[in-house]
Amino acid sequence: MGRRDISKLRRAEYAAAAYRALMRYGNDGTSLARVAEEAGVSKANVLHYFKSKEALLAAALRYANAELLREAVLLLGEARTPLERVYAVVETNLSPTSFRPEVAHAWIALCAGVPYVPAYQRIQTVIYARMRSNLIGPLRSLLPEEDAALLSDLMTTAIDGIWLRCGLSLDGLTRQAARAQLEAVLDARLPDSEERRAAKIRMLEVARILVKARR
Amino acid sequence: MGRRDISKLRRAEYAAAAYRALMRYGNDGTSLARVAEEAGVSKANVLHYFKSKEALLAAALRYANAELLREAVLLLGEARTPLERVYAVVETNLSPTSFRPEVAHAWIALCAGVPYVPAYQRIQTVIYARMRSNLIGPLRSLLPEEDAALLSDLMTTAIDGIWLRCGLSLDGLTRQAARAQLEAVLDARLPDSEERRAAKIRMLEVARILVKARR
DNA sequence: ACAAATATGAACCATTCGGTCAATCTATTA
DNA sequence: TAATAGATTGACCGAATGGTTCATATTTGT
């Protein structure tokens, strides 16, 4: 049975390599040869574990998604109130592991491929569904149904826009500037309050601690 | 000198064909052969007018940009007050000529190529600079400097996010929903007022008239 | 009318792509 | 130790890519 283990290992290894290639070279720049080189093995061997390039890239994006999910779960686990849950989502999307041009590159490449690669479409749908459910839950307990839905959607679009700018990195969009923008989005519907400020500060602190602990 | 005219004509013709191909097939799906087919001429002929594929695609995006610019100029020309100028920008980005999945596809492809194609980077920089200057001018006369800058940036990111979603078209993001989101963004800093509602209604009407007239 | 300039397209080139295959190598097991 | 199942690889394939060449057709100025 010592041989089955290596199969799981290789699959994870090559998915990670494909993700690195996706970050560095973009969607069309990521060839099987490049992924194989990244993993230090032959192209044929990569195809031995993934029957097609599409399957490989889908695995790569599931891998990346799982990475972000781990971060989200950790932060949301520490959130005690609805407001803290909202800020947990904000800080998750601004965490140093996610909010990097390389990661954003991979994500934009994913978006660009959505119309042509069915697997990408499915992954993207999952990501959006999770984002929405994470946001609309806490918001519903803070706002009228209609406003909760609107603010949830608006937060999602704003996060999309911020990640896009991060990926383009034409101007150096800092984490602070991005945070200020998302804060302003919340201003649109969420009244300023002492609890809100406290929730923001606490989740920022929790995020800081988790990042430090991770390293 | 009747010969130089055909050169300009062909260049515009092939740029438009390249743009159509970009919308339909994405960045890597757009080959010289495909563009040539789209234009109904030979591949070599296309390359006769554009020395490289990169030059062709750059021209295609300048063409698309000019298309949107024309729309923006028309709307902004009808705006009489700062508030109307803000809503002119909003309606420009939601106009039926721009706010279509095909157009958004091309734009996402452009974004995905930015890190690798220098020409794309330059075009994207120009687009953002124009958007910012169109927004920050009127906003400065309505808000403190700091808020004007923040709201301008936030409007830009929100528009990015909306276009991205339009391109993915996983959920059918309607023009109305997008307009509601941008309206909510303005709520974050711009006080509700009679003038604001009037400005919104007027630019919406102007946009409607212009679209009808165009056809 | 004619030579120069330009426009055009078919065939072609080298390269890269995703993917296949038969041949090796390796490690477990009988 | 011998057999075997799985891991790994280099060589190779057809298709498609961006880009070039060159012979032919068309238009232009004189």
Side-chain angles (χ1 to χ4, degrees), chain A residues 19-55:
Chain A
Y19 178 57
R20 285 198 304 276
L22 218 47
M23 288 193 289
R24 268 198 265 276
Y25 307 111
N27 205 354
D28 41 332
T30 298
S31 63
L32 286 175
R34 200 98 71 165
V35 174
E37 185 196 0
E38 190 77 30
V41 295
S42 74
K43 188 175 58 165
N45 190 253
V46 174
L47 275 168
H48 174 70
Y49 290 99
F50 294 94
K51 69 176 178 191
S52 72
K53 185 195 183 183
E54 187 173 332

Side-chain angles (χ1 to χ4, degrees), chain B residues 74-81 84-86 88 202-203 206:
Chain B
L74 276 177
L75 259 166
L76 274 170
E78 294 298 324
R80 305 286 177 220
T81 67
E84 286 185 0
R85 270 189 278 278
V86 171
R202 191 169 107 78
M203 291 323 288
V206 170

Side-chain angles (χ1 to χ4, degrees), chain B residues 165-178:
Chain B
R165 272 291 250 289
C166 173
L168 299 184
S169 62
L170 299 174
D171 46 6
L173 180 62
T174 65
R175 212 187 321 281
Q176 279 74 15

Side-chain angles (χ1 to χ4, degrees), chain A residues 132-153:
Chain A
R132 186 181 167 86
S133 87
N134 280 346
L135 278 172
I136 205 153
L139 285 177
R140 248 203 280 258
S141 65
L142 293 166
L143 292 169
E145 172 67 28
E146 204 176 329
D147 282 352
L150 177 65
L151 196 51
S152 166
D153 285 349

